[in-house]
């Protein structure tokens, strides 16, 4: 059986030449790498005199208004201003941040069917603002924690926990802790160490919640680099605070001493 005749459409000669040129150019480009050799630009000033300032403001206004609405959302009410300068070995704002960290870490670990954390520790320098009295907003959380730090759970041997405690004593700063209590004697040695409500056990392994910054040895916390295991909770510390605030109609602070010195 013979194949049916195929009728080819006749194209003008100019079109055929264009097609051949493009095919030839594409063939030449194959196997050839291209890179930018130069780049140039010019500065466009945004000034009132040129009228560009008003145009720019009009362009960004809807975005600014949307961001302000989100940032000004009220999460809870705080009766008194919380400031990291208010305290020696612990502060009210530090207690809030450490308690929030431990509580929300427990929630994530429970969802993952993982053992709970024993205690939490953050760094004093990571607290970047106060929590003022009055309405606590999303903006408040961004001001207190402007960094993109996230939570990690680290397994530390008892020796590393001792290093952690000695670090706190030597630093003489109110590094936020939750789930950890101890007494400092007259010789600056730790006594009566309790973790998760139980006496410190010298042969135990403890699960500690902290930030990714400290996991890398930030603020000279080298003991965190000696962990047996590390688990990323994929939970921004700022979001921890936001979620913690949302859960509370009024922000209450646990002022019970966590670190004390002997008389």
């Amino acid at each position: 059986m013979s194949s049916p005749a195929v009728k080819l459409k006749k194209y003008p000669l100019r079109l055929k030449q264009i097609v051949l040129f493009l095919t030839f150019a594409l063939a030449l480009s194959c196997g050839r790498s291209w890179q930018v050799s130069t780049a140039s630009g010019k500065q466009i000033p945004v000034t009132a005199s040129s009228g560009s300032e008003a145009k720019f403001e009009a362009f960004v206004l809807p975005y600014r208004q949307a961001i302000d609405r989100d940032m000004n959302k009220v999460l809870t009410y705080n009766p008194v201003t919380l400031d990291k300068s208010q305290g020696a070995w612990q502060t009210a704002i530090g207690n809030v941040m450490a308690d929030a960290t431990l509580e929300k870490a427990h929630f994530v670990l429970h969802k993952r069917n993982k053992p709970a954390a024993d205690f939490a520790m953050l760094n004093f320098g990571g607290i970047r603002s106060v929590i003022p009295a009055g309405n606590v907003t999303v903006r408040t959380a961004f001001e207190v924690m402007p960094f993109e730090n996230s939570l990690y759970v680290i397994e530390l041997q008892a020796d590393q926990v001792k290093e952690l405690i000695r670090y706190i004593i030597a630093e003489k700063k109110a590094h936020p802790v939750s789930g950890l209590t101890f007494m400092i004697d007259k010789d600056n040695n730790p006594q009566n160490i309790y973790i998760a409500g139980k006496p410190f056990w010298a042969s135990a392994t403890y699960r500690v919640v902290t930030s990714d910054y400290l996991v890398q040895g930030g603020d000279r916390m080298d003991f965190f680099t000696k962990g047996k295991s590390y688990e990323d909770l994929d939970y921004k510390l700022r979001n921890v605070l936001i979620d913690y605030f949302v859960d509370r109609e009024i922000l209450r602070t646990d002022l019970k001493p966590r670190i004390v010195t002997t008389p």
Side-chain angles (χ1 to χ4, degrees):
M1 183 176 179
S2 60
S3 300
V6 178
K7 294 182 179 180
L8 297 177
K9 186 175 181 179
K10 294 183 178 181
Y11 292 97
L13 179 61
R14 183 178 297 277
L15 181 57
K16 291 180 181 180
Q17 292 173 338
I18 293 173
V19 172
L20 288 173
F21 172 77
L22 292 176
T23 304
F24 179 70
L26 180 62
L28 287 179
S29 67
C30 293
R32 179 182 297 179
S33 61
W34 299 91
Q35 61 183 12
V36 177
S37 60
T38 60
S40 62
K42 64 178 181 178
Q43 184 178 12
I44 301 176
V46 178
T47 61
S49 58
S50 66
S52 55
E53 182 179 4
K55 293 179 181 178
F56 178 78
E57 286 294 328
F59 177 77
V60 301
L61 181 61
Y63 301 98
R64 180 184 291 118
Q65 291 174 334
I67 291 173
D68 284 340
R69 281 195 299 269
D70 291 339
M71 296 292 280
N72 293 332
K73 181 180 179 181
V74 176
L75 306 176
T76 187
Y77 178 81
N78 179 36
V80 295
T81 297
L82 305 181
D83 190 329
K84 72 176 185 180
S85 66
Q86 300 169 341
W89 294 104
Q90 57 262 302
T91 65
I93 189 172
N95 288 359
V96 166
M97 292 185 66
D99 289 348
T101 297
L102 191 59
E103 178 183 304
K104 294 306 178 182
H106 283 163
F107 176 79
V108 175
L109 291 169
H110 177 73
K111 289 289 186 182
R112 296 183 182 182
N113 294 316
K114 298 291 184 66
D118 296 299
F119 70 97
M121 179 179 177
L122 302 172
N123 60 320
F124 178 80
I127 307 172
R128 308 303 290 187
S129 182
V130 304
I131 301 179
N135 289 334
V136 178
T137 64
V138 173
R139 190 183 304 276
T140 307
F142 272 80
E143 291 171 346
V144 173
M145 177 49 60
F147 312 114
E148 294 299 311
N149 295 131
S150 58
L151 297 192
Y152 267 76
V153 174
I154 310 174
E155 286 191 345
L156 293 182
Q157 299 280 20
D159 286 344
Q160 279 77 61
V161 174
K162 287 181 180 178
E163 288 184 45
L164 181 153
I165 294 172
R166 293 193 189 100
Y167 171 88
I168 293 174
I169 296 173
E171 281 275 297
K172 293 182 172 61
K173 292 181 181 178
H175 294 295
V177 295
S178 181
L180 169 66
T181 63
F182 60 90
M183 178 181 292
I184 305 172
D185 66 18
K186 294 180 180 179
D187 297 321
N188 276 340
N189 293 316
Q191 304 292 339
N192 300 330
I193 303 171
Y194 278 77
I195 295 177
K198 299 178 182 179
F200 176 73
W201 188 19
S203 59
T205 298
Y206 292 98
R207 291 169 59 78
V208 188
V209 187
T210 189
S211 72
D212 55 350
Y213 170 69
L214 300 183
V215 162
Q216 300 169 19
D219 277 7
R220 296 180 294 106
M221 296 192 188
D222 298 331
F223 41 84
F224 280 133
T225 66
K226 305 173 185 177
K228 290 180 60 180
S229 67
Y230 300 83
E231 181 176 357
D232 184 359
L233 298 189
D234 193 25
Y235 201 169
K236 298 294 184 184
L237 185 51
R238 182 191 308 117
N239 292 340
V240 166
L241 293 178
I242 291 172
D243 293 342
Y244 185 81
F245 294 154
V246 167
D247 290 343
R248 286 154 176 80
E249 184 175 350
I250 297 177
L251 185 61
R252 305 293 185 187
T253 308
D254 181 5
L255 298 176
K256 185 178 179 179
R258 304 173 186 198
I259 304 171
V260 297
T261 55
T262 55

